[in-house]
Amino acid sequence: MEKSNYINLNPMGIENDSMKIISAELSHLNIPAELDRIIKRVIHTTADFEYGHLFEAHPDAVENAKKALSQSCNIYADTTMITAGVSKPSLSKLGCEINCFVHHPDVIETAKEKGITRSICGIDKASEDESYKIFVIGNAPTALVRICELAKEGKIKPDLVIGVPVGFVGAAESKQMLKESGLPYMIIRGRKGGSTVGVAILNALLYDMTNRKI
Amino acid sequence: MEKSNYINLNPMGIENDSMKIISAELSHLNIPAELDRIIKRVIHTTADFEYGHLFEAHPDAVENAKKALSQSCNIYADTTMITAGVSKPSLSKLGCEINCFVHHPDVIETAKEKGITRSICGIDKASEDESYKIFVIGNAPTALVRICELAKEGKIKPDLVIGVPVGFVGAAESKQMLKESGLPYMIIRGRKGGSTVGVAILNALLYDMTNRKI
């Protein structure tokens, strides 16, 4: 271990030290208390302080989401990277489940038939089950557009939409559409975002609900 | 669909348009042909052009990796987000497998006993199986340090180490250590990186090997 003695090998120590560095660098920003943990976790996940400026939430988003989580809602994600990254112990404590249907045989078939994204068809499938109250979109603008459409038609009534698709085509526009939809949202304005960002936001909420320290 | 008519709903069309935008914005950089696809995919995944400057590869990295993949090597990743995100059709065509052991019962037990990260113990477990020739580290600096140590001791001989842990404590140092180790590496210098970046690099290699267009 001769060359690694300057690297902290204790997992909670590493995270604790990281959060101290992030807090120090963010101290000039006036972040609302209820969003503090979320924004810090997004920066912890990306090492990109620009997210401190790009994150935006509906005033009711945190309260609505926590109420839904406390009532053991289910969560729909547009990527299996998100379902893999979310804290399973926290979900389990709350009695919540997270799913993604983009690899489901029905979804694959419908997407081929209609020539549209599997992400859209996955949202349609989730909309058939009222237990899905939180949506996390890290990849597909088309999924976010579909959520806005279904909500407008009165077919879904989510308590929180975490809209953080990343990309150059449609991502920024889809997040703006969500913001204007009237739904309780959390977004990253512009092109940035992604599955790890979606996981960071959701885990921050889950850790708050289950009294995990960091 | 009244508000979404400006959003391209065809999946391959979306990716194609994105790559055109990225190519145009990167045209001033002198990127070697063998790294072009990799760097563009990382930017496609993050919407962060800084990665064009932060990416760095050992001169033999691409050739070694492609040889190992063509010989159906196995791949070890430090997060289940990475195993979830990697292209399964491409892996299957090449006869390669990807695994992550951080949730394996043996690894959980050993990490608790020794008070070290599960990421380190996961690397130790992978090192017992010679078929793991490519390592993808998106999260844990300690995993990268362990790879360097095991290689120095002659216990592993990877054909490629994708070293892209993100973070504020040890990430940059662990990537510098990999660069100086003599191993075939691909890194993101500094704090940035993450599981999505690791997936982007690996998928770019896999798509090249399986003649996927974008």
Side-chain angles (χ1 to χ4, degrees):
Chain A
M1 308 281 271
E2 59 189 285
K3 284 190 83 176
S4 63
N5 56 355
Y6 58 90
I7 294 187
N8 187 337
L9 297 182
N10 176 284
M12 291 314 275
I14 294 168
E15 197 152 321
N16 205 16
D17 290 352
S18 301
M19 287 302 179
K20 280 183 193 162
I21 294 170
I22 295 167
S23 296
E25 292 201 32
L26 279 184
S27 58
H28 66 287
L29 282 185
N30 192 14
I31 299 173
E34 61 173 12
L35 300 180
D36 187 69
R37 185 173 200 163
I38 297 170
I39 291 173
K40 283 180 182 163
R41 185 148 284 278
V42 170
I43 294 170
H44 178 258
T45 294
T46 56
D48 185 346
F49 282 94
E50 205 191 343
Y51 281 103
H53 302 279
L54 298 178
F55 181 87
E56 194 178 320
H58 185 284
D60 301 335
V62 172
E63 197 184 324
N64 280 21
K66 288 189 173 177
K67 196 174 166 195
L69 290 169
S70 73
Q71 293 169 348
S72 300
C73 72
N74 286 336
I75 303 162
Y76 184 77
D78 74 328
T79 71
T80 54
M81 287 191 77
I82 294 175
T83 60
V86 169
S87 167
K88 301 304 175 301
S90 298
L91 279 182
S92 168
K93 274 185 194 167
L94 295 164
C96 301
E97 278 185 22
I98 187 163
N99 283 303
C100 169
F101 296 138
V102 296
H103 298 296
H104 193 287
D106 297 351
V107 165
I108 294 172
E109 200 184 317
T110 311
K112 262 193 191 167
E113 272 174 24
K114 297 190 179 174
I116 55 175
T117 67
R118 285 191 279 153
S119 304
I120 294 175
C121 301
I123 297 294
D124 285 345
K125 189 170 173 64
S127 73
E128 293 164 11
D129 181 342
E130 284 186 4
S131 69
Y132 289 102
K133 287 299 190 184
I134 296 181
F135 291 78
V136 191
I137 308 302
N139 184 55
T142 56
L144 209 46
V145 171
R146 190 68 182 136
I147 288 170
C148 295
E149 289 171 348
L150 290 172
K152 201 175 176 185
E153 294 165 16
K155 291 180 180 159
I156 56 172
K157 207 186 162 202
D159 287 309
L160 173 64
V161 182
I162 300 174
V164 294
V166 60
F168 296 86
V169 178
E173 294 87 341
S174 71
K175 292 182 273 194
Q176 184 63 27
M177 183 186 288
L178 171 62
K179 189 180 160 181
E180 292 166 7
S181 70
L183 293 171
Y185 66 85
M186 295 185 187
I187 60 167
I188 301 296
R189 286 194 306 275
R191 289 170 165 178
K192 286 188 178 179
S195 292
T196 48
V197 174
V199 167
I201 294 171
L202 185 56
N203 277 347
L205 287 166
L206 292 170
Y207 294 164
D208 244 14
M209 299 283 297
T210 54
N211 299 315
R212 200 178 118 149
K213 276 193 181 166
I214 299 174
Chain B
M1 305 282 273
E2 59 187 286
K3 284 189 83 176
S4 63
N5 57 355
Y6 57 90
I7 293 187
N8 187 339
L9 297 182
N10 175 283
M12 292 313 275
I14 293 168
E15 196 152 321
N16 204 14
D17 289 353
S18 301
M19 286 302 180
K20 279 183 194 162
I21 295 170
I22 295 168
S23 296
E25 292 201 32
L26 278 184
S27 58
H28 64 288
L29 281 184
N30 191 14
I31 298 174
E34 60 173 13
L35 300 179
D36 187 68
R37 185 172 200 164
I38 296 170
I39 291 173
K40 283 180 183 163
R41 185 150 284 278
V42 169
I43 294 169
H44 178 259
T45 293
T46 57
D48 184 347
F49 281 94
E50 205 191 342
Y51 281 103
H53 302 279
L54 298 177
F55 181 88
E56 194 178 319
H58 185 284
D60 301 335
V62 173
E63 197 184 325
N64 280 20
K66 289 190 171 176
K67 195 174 166 194
L69 290 168
S70 73
Q71 293 169 348
S72 301
C73 74
N74 286 336
I75 303 162
Y76 184 77
D78 74 328
T79 71
T80 54
M81 287 191 78
I82 294 174
T83 60
V86 169
S87 167
K88 301 305 175 299
S90 298
L91 279 183
S92 167
K93 273 185 196 168
L94 295 165
C96 301
E97 277 185 22
I98 186 162
N99 283 303
C100 169
F101 296 138
V102 296
H103 299 295
H104 192 288
D106 298 351
V107 164
I108 293 172
E109 200 184 316
T110 311
K112 261 192 190 165
E113 272 175 23
K114 297 191 180 175
I116 55 175
T117 67
R118 285 192 279 152
S119 304
I120 294 176
C121 302
I123 297 294
D124 284 345
K125 189 169 173 64
S127 74
E128 293 163 11
D129 181 342
E130 284 186 5
S131 69
Y132 289 102
K133 288 298 192 186
I134 296 180
F135 290 78
V136 190
I137 308 303
N139 183 55
T142 56
L144 209 45
V145 171
R146 191 68 183 138
I147 288 170
C148 295
E149 289 170 349
L150 290 172
K152 201 174 175 185
E153 293 165 15
K155 289 178 181 160
I156 55 171
K157 209 188 161 200
D159 286 310
L160 172 64
V161 182
I162 299 173
V164 294
V166 60
F168 296 84
V169 178
E173 295 87 340
S174 71
K175 291 182 273 194
Q176 184 62 28
M177 183 186 287
L178 171 62
K179 189 180 159 181
E180 292 168 5
S181 70
L183 293 171
Y185 67 85
M186 293 184 188
I187 61 167
I188 301 296
R189 286 193 306 274
R191 291 169 164 180
K192 287 187 177 179
S195 292
T196 47
V197 174
V199 167
I201 294 171
L202 186 55
N203 276 347
L205 287 166
L206 292 170
Y207 293 165
D208 244 16
M209 300 283 297
T210 54
N211 299 315
R212 199 178 119 148
K213 275 193 182 167
I214 299 173

